[in-house]
C-alpha cells in the first residue's frame, strides 16, 4: 500500500525557548550513574522483612488456618491473619477521589479469612529478621481448604445457576450507548459485516517489581516509602489500618515502570499493618513470580461487531457487544469497561450506534488498570473490523476510513463534540509513507503492510471532578523550586513540570528543582494515570508559574517605567522587548520583590471541566476533556511454513498538540509502540482454572530490543490540546494502535485475518489451515 501524504493544515505555533526542546531531563544523570534510589534500594536499622502467604486454590472455603508454628519460629516478629484485622478492607474504586460516592461492592478484604476467590489471594502476613526466616515461616503455616465450585469463563458466569463470585449475579458493571436507529441504519446498508474478536490478558511486566519500606516516625505516623502511581491512597490505607488519615504518610519514589499496575494499592497496606503491629521498620520486595500472582492484569475481552456499510464504505450502523472478565474482585473494571464502551465505535462518524458492554466476575486473576485503560481492546476490534469491511467491499483500507474519519466539530457516539484537531488522515498517510516501498515476497515468506488509526482520551472522566495542585517559588538566587505530588513513572512527568516553569519564568532548566510525591509535604496532584498529569499538573504548574511571573513583571514595569506588555523574562533576565539592551538580572529583581514584601511563590489549583454523568440509558453526554489522535503502521514478513512473524519496519504518527520535551515524547511513542507490538505478537498469559500457567518471564515472553526494529516516531503539533501550550497526552495513546496495525499487516500478507491476539505462529498456521 502506498499513500500520498495529506498536507497538514496551516498552524502557527509561537517559538518557545525551553518548551518543545529535547533537553536532558532533570533526573537523567541520577539514573545514568545509579544515584537514583528506587523503593527496593531503601533500608533502615532494625528493619524486618515482610512476606505474604497466598492461596493455592482458586475457589475454596478456608476450614482451618494455623499460624502457631510460624509465630513460634525464632526470628519471626509478627504473623497477621484476617482474624487479627477483621475490619481491614480496601476500597478498590477509582483512586484519589475524595468527594465521590463509593461504588457498591468495591471493598476487597486485605486478608482472606473465610473464603478465597482467586489463586494467589493474600491470607496472612509475616515479618521476620531475615528473608530466609520469613520464607521458612510461610512454609510452617498450615491451612485446609474445602474446594468450592468455581467459574472461569465470563460467558458461563452469566448463566443462571453459575457459582456466584460477586453477588448477586456476577455482573460487575454494565454500560450502553444508544444513538440513532439500528433498524434504519441497517436498512440503509448495502453490506453487513459481522465479526467476533478476542483480546487476551496482558501482564504489566514492569522492570521494578512492587517494593517499599514502612516505619513509624517520631510523630507516630506510619510512613510508607513505596513505588506507587497514587499517593492519595493514604486515605484508604488509614481506614483499613484503623488510624487517622494524617497518621499515614506516603513517600513515593521514582517508579521503575507502572503502566497502571501500581495504580491500585499493592504492598502499601501490608507494610502499614506490619509496621503498626511490630513498631519496627518493615521492608517488602516482591519476586518476579510473586508480582505475576499479586497484581492485576489487562482485561480480556470478547467483542462482537455488526456493521452496516454503503458500497463506498460509509458506515450506516454499528452494533457492538462486549464482555470483559473482571476476575475475582471489581477493582477498576467498571471504569475500564466505560472507556472501552465509549471508544468501541472508533474514531469514526456513525449516525446509528448501539453498544452493550458487560464486565463479569470470575475466579480468575483480578483485572484492573493497564496502559490504555480499555482503549487498546476496543481499537483492536474496530480496526480489524474496518479492514474486513474494506476487504469485503474490495476497497482500499484508507479510503474506507477517509469516508468515516471524525473531524473537528463532529460528535462521538456519546454526543461529545470534538473541539481539537483530529488529523487522522494526516497521521495515517505519514505513518504509511514512513514504511517506504513494500519489500518483495521471497520463498515461503509473504510480506504485508498495514496500519491502524485510533482516538484516545487524556484526562479523567469529567464527572470525577478532577483537580491538581502545584506550588512554584522563585528563590533569591534566581533558581526555581516546584512542589507537586505527581508520581513520576519514568516517563518524565516531573521533568515536564520543570520545563513549563523554566519557560514561564525565563530560567535555564538546570536552575529548576522539583520535589514530588509526598502525601504530607507536597500539594496533592492526583494520580499518575489516565494520561492526566501533563494536562492536570502541567496546567497547575503553568498557573502557579504565571502568577509568580506576573509579580516579577509588575515590579519590573516600575523599574523600567514601561507597561507590562512591553517586557519579557528570559535567560535569567527581565528586559524591554523593544530594546533588549535594557535588562535587569532576575536575582536583583527577586530581591527587589522580597524587600517590598511581594509574594514570590504561588500555590495553584487546576480544575478539569466538571460535567454531569452520561445518561445511563443512552450513554449520551461528555465523558472526557479531550482526545489524542494518531496512527501506527507496520511491515511484516510471515513465513507460511513456520508461522513465524517478523516485523521489518514500524512507524507511529501522533498529533500530540505541542511537545513539552520532544525527546521524552518520542520515547513514549517508541516505548508504547514496542509494548503494543508485544501485546499483538508474543505476550501470552495463559490461565487455566484460575491458575496462571506462564508465571514468570521465562514462560511469559515480552519483546526485547533485539526482537523488533526501531519504531520511527513522527510527531505532529496542532497546538489544539488542553494541556500547557496546547499539548495533548501521549503516554497511554502510544500503545493503542500498535497491535491492530501489525494484525492488519499480517492479514495483508496472508489474505486472511486473525481475529485474536497474540498472533502466534500456531494461529498463523491455523489461519492458513496448515498443521
Amino acid at each position: 500500500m502506498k499513500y500520498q501524504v495529506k498536507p497538514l493544515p496551516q498552524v502557527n505555533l509561537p517559538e518557545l525557548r525551553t518548551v518543545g526542546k529535547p533537553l536532558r531531563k532533570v533526573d537523567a544523570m541520577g539514573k545514568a550513574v545509579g544515584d537514583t534510589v528506587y523503593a527496593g534500594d531503601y533500608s533502615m536499622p532494625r528493619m524486618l522483612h515482610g512476606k505474604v502467604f497466598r492461596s493455592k486454590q482458586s475457589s475454596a472455603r478456608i476450614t482451618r488456618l494455623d499460624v502457631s508454628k510460624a509465630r513460634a519460629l525464632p526470628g519471626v516478629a509478627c504473623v497477621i491473619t484476617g482474624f487479627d484485622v477483621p475490619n481491614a478492607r480496601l476500597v478498590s474504586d477509582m483512586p484519589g477521589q475524595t468527594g465521590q460516592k463509593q461504588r457498591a461492592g468495591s471493598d476487597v478484604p486485605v486478608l482472606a479469612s473465610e473464603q478465597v476467590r482467586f489463586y494467589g489471594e493474600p491470607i496472612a502476613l509475616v515479618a521476620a529478621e531475615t528473608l530466609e526466616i520469613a520464607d521458612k515461616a510461610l512454609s510452617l503455616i498450615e491451612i485446609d481448604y474445602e474446594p468450592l465450585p468455581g467459574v472461569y469463563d465470563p460467558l458461563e458466569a452469566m448463566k443462571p445457576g453459575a457459582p456466584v463470585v460477586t453477588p448477586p449475579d456476577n455482573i460487575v458493571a454494565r454500560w450502553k450507548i444508544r444513538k440513532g436507529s439500528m433498524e434504519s441504519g441497517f436498512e440503509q446498508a448495502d453490506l453487513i459485516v459481522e465479526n467476533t474478536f478476542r483480546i487476551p490478558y496482558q501482564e504489566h511486566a514492569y522492570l521494578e517489581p512492587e517494593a517499599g519500606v514502612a516505619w513509624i516516625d517520631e510523630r507516630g505516623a506510619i510512613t510508607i516509602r513505596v513505588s506507587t502511581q497514587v499517593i492519595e491512597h493514604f486515605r484508604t490505607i488509614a481506614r483499613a489500618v484503623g488510624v487517622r488519615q494524617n497518621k499515614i504518610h506516603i513517600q513515593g519514589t521514582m517508579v521503575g515502570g507502572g503502566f497502571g499496575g501500581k495504580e491500585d494499592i499493592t504492598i502499601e497496606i501490608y507494610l502499614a499493618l506490619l509496621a503498626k503491629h511490630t513498631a519496627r521498620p518493615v521492608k517488602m520486595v516482591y519476586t518476579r513470580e510473586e508480582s505475576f500472582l499479586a497484581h492485576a492484569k489487562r482485561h480480556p475481552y470478547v467483542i462482537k461487531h455488526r456493521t452496516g456499510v454503503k458500497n463506498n464504505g460509509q458506515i450506516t450502523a454499528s452494533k457492538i457487544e462486549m464482555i470483559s472478565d473482571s476476575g475475582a474482585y471489581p477493582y477498576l473494571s467498571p471504569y475500564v469497561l466505560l472507556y472501552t464502551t465509549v471508544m468501541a465505535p472508533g474514531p469514526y462518524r456513525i449516525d446509528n450506534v448501539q453498544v452493550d458492554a458487560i464486565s463479569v466476575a470470575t475466579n480468575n486473576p483480578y483485572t484492573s488498570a493497564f496502559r490504555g485503560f480499555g482503549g487498546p481492546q476496543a481499537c483492536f476490534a474496530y480496526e480489524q473490523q474496518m479492514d474486513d469491511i474494506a476487504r469485503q467491499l474490495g476497497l482500499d483500507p484508507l479510503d474506507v476510513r477517509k469516508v468515516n474519519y471524525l473531524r473537528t466539530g463532529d460528535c462521538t457516539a456519546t454526543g461529545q463534540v470534538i473541539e481539537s484537531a483530529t488529523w487522522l488522515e494526516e497521521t495515517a498517510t505519514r505513518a504509511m509513507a514512513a514504511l517506504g516501498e513494500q519489500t518483495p515476497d521471497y520463498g515461503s515468506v509473504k510480506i504485508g503492510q498495514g496500519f491502524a488509526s485510533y482516538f484516545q482520551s487524556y484526562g479523567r472522566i469529567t464527572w470525577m471532578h478532577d483537580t491538581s495542585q502545584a506550588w512554584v517559588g522563585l528563590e533569591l538566587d534566581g533558581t526555581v523550586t516546584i512542589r507537586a505530588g505527581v508520581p513520576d513513572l519514568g516517563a518524565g512527568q516531573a521533568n515536564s513540570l520543570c520545563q513549563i516553569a523554566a519557560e514561564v519564568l525565563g530560567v535555564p532548566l538546570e536552575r529548576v528543582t522539583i520535589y514530588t510525591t509526598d502525601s504530607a509535604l507536597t500539594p496533592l496532584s492526583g494520580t499518575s494515570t489516565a494520561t492526566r498529569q501533563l494536562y492536570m499538573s502541567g496546567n497547575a504548574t503553568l498557573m502557579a508559574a504565571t502568577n509568580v511571573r506576573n509579580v516579577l513583571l509588575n515590579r519590573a514595569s516600575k523599574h523600567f517605567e514601561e507597561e507590562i506588555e512591553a517586557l519579557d523574562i528570559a535567560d535569567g533576565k527581565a528586559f524591554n522587548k523593544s530594546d533588549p539592551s535594557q535588562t535587569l538580572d532576575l536575582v536583583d529583581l527577586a530581591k527587589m520583590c522580597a524587600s517590598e514584601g511581594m509574594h514570590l511563590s504561588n500555590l495553584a489549583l487546576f480544575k478539569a471541566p466538571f460535567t454531569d454523568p452520561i445518561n445511563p440509558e443512552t450513554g449520551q453526554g461528555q465523558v472526557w476533556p479531550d482526545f489524542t489522535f494518531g496512527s501506527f503502521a507496520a511491515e511484516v514478513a510471515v513465513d507460511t511454513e513456520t508461522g513465524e512473524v517478523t516485523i521489518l519496519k514500524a512507524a507511529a504518527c501522533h498529533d500530540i498538540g505541542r511537545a513539552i520535551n520532544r525527546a521524552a515524547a518520542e520515547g513514549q511513542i517508541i516505548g508504547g509502540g514496542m509494548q503494543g507490538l508485544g501485546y499483538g505478537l508474543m505476550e501470552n498469559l495463559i490461565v487455566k482454572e484460575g491458575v496462571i500457567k506462564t508465571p514468570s518471564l521465562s514462560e511469559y515472553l515480552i519483546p526485547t530490543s533485539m526482537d523488533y526494529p526501531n519504531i520511527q516516531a513522527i510527531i505532529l503539533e496542532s497546538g489544539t490540546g488542553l494541556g500547557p501550550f496546547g499539548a495533548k497526552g501521549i503516554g497511554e495513546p502510544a500503545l493503542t494502535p500498535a497491535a491492530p496495525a501489525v494484525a492488519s499487516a499480517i492479514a495483508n500478507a496472508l489474505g486472511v485475518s486473525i481475529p485474536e491476539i497474540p498472533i502466534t505462529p500456531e494461529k498463523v498456521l491455523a489461519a492458513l489451515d496448515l498443521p
Side-chain angles (χ1 to χ4, degrees):
M1 290 177 281
K2 187 174 181 180
Y3 300 125
Q4 183 177 358
V5 172
K6 182 178 181 181
L8 293 175
Q10 185 65 37
V11 175
N12 296 310
L13 297 179
E15 181 67 21
L16 300 174
R17 298 181 177 93
T18 302
V19 163
K21 304 299 188 291
L23 302 177
R24 189 178 76 184
K25 294 195 290 186
V26 295
D27 53 27
M29 185 57 69
K31 294 177 179 177
V33 302
D35 285 343
T36 301
V37 180
Y38 289 89
D41 298 327
Y42 201 66
S43 295
M44 296 183 72
R46 300 182 62 249
M47 188 176 71
L48 299 167
H49 296 268
K51 298 290 285 188
V52 183
F53 179 78
R54 299 180 179 278
S55 170
K56 298 298 183 183
Q57 298 283 328
S58 300
S59 179
R61 183 174 291 108
I62 298 173
T63 58
R64 186 177 73 95
L65 178 63
D66 187 348
V67 299
S68 59
K69 292 180 181 178
R71 282 176 173 157
L73 182 67
V76 170
C78 179
V79 179
I80 302 174
T81 72
F83 298 103
D84 301 311
V85 286
N87 298 319
R89 301 183 70 82
L90 295 179
V91 177
S92 68
D93 212 329
M94 188 67 82
Q97 294 300 303
T98 57
Q100 302 297 312
K101 183 179 179 181
Q102 181 185 331
R103 178 169 41 86
S106 64
D107 268 10
V108 175
V110 172
L111 298 172
S113 57
E114 297 179 355
Q115 182 178 343
V116 292
R117 292 174 171 81
F118 70 96
Y119 189 95
E121 184 164 4
I123 295 173
L125 306 174
V126 171
E129 300 291 345
T130 67
L131 275 174
E132 292 75 16
I133 295 174
D135 283 328
K136 177 65 175 176
L138 292 185
S139 70
L140 295 176
I141 294 176
E142 299 176 0
I143 188 168
D144 293 333
Y145 301 100
E146 177 190 337
L148 297 174
V151 61
Y152 306 101
D153 182 332
L155 296 175
E156 294 297 319
M158 290 190 293
K159 293 180 178 178
V164 176
V165 184
T166 297
D169 55 6
N170 292 329
I171 303 301
V172 170
R174 293 180 186 268
W175 294 101
K176 57 185 176 181
I177 295 175
R178 299 291 186 270
K179 178 185 178 184
S181 165
M182 284 294 98
E183 182 179 359
S184 173
F186 283 117
E187 284 178 355
Q188 298 171 40
D190 297 314
L191 174 71
I192 295 176
V193 178
E194 298 186 61
N195 285 292
T196 298
F197 306 97
R198 298 182 182 275
I199 303 98
Y201 291 101
Q202 188 179 16
E203 159 64 29
H204 299 79
Y206 23 68
L207 183 64
E208 173 204 39
E210 295 79 354
V213 179
W215 67 94
I216 299 176
D217 69 13
E218 67 277 9
R219 301 173 186 83
I222 301 173
T223 301
I224 310 169
R225 193 176 193 277
V226 68
S227 176
T228 180
Q229 296 179 230
V230 184
I231 62 173
E232 283 84 349
H233 279 317
F234 72 88
R235 301 186 182 100
T236 294
I237 296 169
R239 192 186 83 159
V241 175
V243 300
R244 299 192 304 273
Q245 291 184 7
N246 65 358
K247 292 300 182 182
I248 297 291
H249 178 191
I250 305 291
Q251 291 182 348
T253 62
M254 182 66 71
V255 179
F259 312 121
K262 295 170 184 173
E263 178 174 348
D264 299 308
I265 290 175
T266 58
I267 63 172
E268 300 98 310
I269 186 65
Y270 308 142
L271 288 168
L273 285 169
L274 290 171
K276 179 184 178 184
H277 280 72
T278 62
R280 288 177 61 181
V282 182
K283 182 175 184 175
M284 186 176 288
V285 179
Y286 282 171
T287 63
R288 179 63 62 184
E289 291 75 13
E290 188 170 15
S291 181
F292 264 72
L293 272 181
H295 69 248
K297 305 291 178 273
R298 187 188 293 281
H299 291 78
Y301 272 78
V302 176
I303 302 179
K304 296 181 180 181
H305 274 257
R306 185 171 188 262
T307 310
V309 292
K310 295 280 194 181
N311 286 329
N312 68 347
Q314 180 183 353
I315 299 172
T316 61
S318 178
K319 183 178 181 181
I320 305 167
E321 298 176 4
M322 303 189 296
I323 299 173
S324 81
D325 187 343
S326 84
Y329 292 104
Y331 280 86
L332 298 178
S333 293
Y335 301 103
V336 174
L337 186 73
L338 170 64
Y339 277 60
T340 316
T341 302
V342 179
M343 288 186 266
Y348 304 109
R349 298 187 315 276
I350 309 173
D351 292 332
N352 305 293
V353 180
Q354 178 176 319
V355 183
D356 290 284
I358 303 176
S359 188
V360 186
T362 67
N363 292 107
N364 289 322
Y366 70 93
T367 47
S368 192
F370 198 120
R371 188 179 194 175
F373 209 80
Q377 295 97 317
C379 185
F380 178 78
Y382 63 66
E383 285 301 85
Q384 288 282 86
Q385 182 75 352
M386 294 299 285
D387 278 349
D388 195 39
I389 289 169
R391 194 176 301 115
Q392 294 197 36
L393 288 173
L395 299 176
D396 184 276
L398 180 60
D399 289 340
V400 171
R401 287 170 171 84
K402 284 165 58 177
V403 171
N404 297 289
Y405 273 146
L406 284 168
R407 295 178 176 85
T408 303
D410 288 338
C411 291
T412 67
T414 69
Q416 181 170 344
V417 177
I418 303 292
E419 298 181 352
S420 65
T422 57
W423 286 12
L424 287 159
E425 187 178 346
E426 292 84 350
T427 60
T429 55
R430 278 165 176 75
M432 285 298 293
L435 299 182
E437 293 291 338
Q438 182 168 312
T439 306
D441 295 346
Y442 56 94
S444 63
V445 176
K446 304 296 182 183
I447 308 298
Q449 291 186 345
F451 75 96
S453 297
Y454 77 96
F455 79 135
Q456 183 108 16
S457 63
Y458 63 92
R460 263 197 176 163
I461 299 166
T462 49
W463 64 83
M464 291 290 180
H465 295 184
D466 199 10
T467 63
S468 185
Q469 300 177 80
W471 182 97
V472 176
L474 178 69
E475 310 299 343
L476 296 184
D477 62 354
T479 59
V480 173
T481 301
I482 303 171
R483 295 185 176 91
V486 47
D488 194 310
L489 310 188
Q493 285 90 349
N495 185 81
S496 294
L497 306 190
C498 292
Q499 276 192 251
I500 291 165
E503 178 71 41
V504 173
L505 294 175
V507 300
L509 184 60
E510 58 267 21
R511 291 194 187 180
V512 182
T513 296
I514 187 167
Y515 296 91
T516 64
T517 332
D518 190 306
S519 67
L521 302 179
T522 57
L524 296 180
S525 300
T527 66
S528 283
T529 64
T531 312
R532 65 174 291 281
Q533 282 295 357
L534 177 58
Y535 166 53
M536 296 296 299
S537 295
N539 273 324
T541 300
L542 178 63
M543 291 169 61
T546 300
N547 289 334
V548 174
R549 174 186 171 90
N550 290 339
V551 171
L552 295 170
L553 288 175
N554 269 300
R555 183 60 187 84
S557 70
K558 296 178 183 178
H559 174 82
F560 290 112
E561 297 182 347
E562 293 280 359
E563 295 295 324
I564 291 176
E565 293 75 18
L567 305 178
D568 200 357
I569 303 175
D571 302 321
K573 294 179 174 58
F575 59 92
N576 190 328
K577 289 189 285 189
S578 61
D579 182 6
S581 66
Q582 296 184 36
T583 66
L584 177 61
D585 194 278
L586 194 58
V587 172
D588 295 329
L589 180 55
K591 289 178 180 178
M592 288 179 186
C593 293
S595 67
E596 296 175 16
M598 302 174 75
H599 217 42
L600 288 175
S601 65
N602 185 263
L603 174 63
L605 173 71
F606 177 73
K607 299 179 181 180
F610 288 7
T611 68
D612 293 329
I614 58 175
N615 185 306
E617 296 304 317
T618 65
Q620 297 301 297
Q622 181 170 341
V623 185
W624 301 293
D626 193 23
F627 303 89
T628 300
F629 298 85
S631 301
F632 193 101
E635 180 180 281
V636 301
V638 186
D639 191 322
T640 57
E641 292 182 350
T642 67
E644 182 180 10
V645 177
T646 302
I647 299 176
L648 303 178
K649 306 170 191 174
C653 185
H654 306 264
D655 168 30
I656 66 172
R658 186 78 183 247
I660 301 301
N661 184 303
R662 195 170 190 87
E666 289 178 353
Q668 285 298 291
I669 291 170
I670 294 169
M674 286 288 188
Q675 195 171 31
L677 292 176
Y679 185 39
L681 287 179
M682 66 170 62
E683 299 191 36
N684 196 15
L685 191 84
I686 299 172
V687 179
K688 299 290 187 183
E689 297 294 298
V691 180
I692 297 174
K693 298 297 185 179
T694 50
S696 75
L697 294 178
S698 296
E699 301 88 5
Y700 182 84
L701 302 181
I702 62 173
T704 71
S705 59
M706 301 298 291
D707 289 302
Y708 302 145
N710 187 46
I711 296 171
Q712 182 177 343
I714 305 167
I715 292 177
L716 305 184
E717 296 179 285
S718 66
T720 62
L722 299 181
F725 306 101
K728 293 188 173 191
I730 189 57
E732 293 186 86
L735 177 147
T736 297
V742 77
S744 174
I746 293 169
N748 178 250
L750 300 179
V752 58
S753 63
I754 300 173
E756 180 178 358
I757 53 174
I759 301 178
T760 59
E762 293 81 2
K763 291 175 185 173
V764 170
L765 295 178
L768 294 172
D769 198 23
L770 295 174

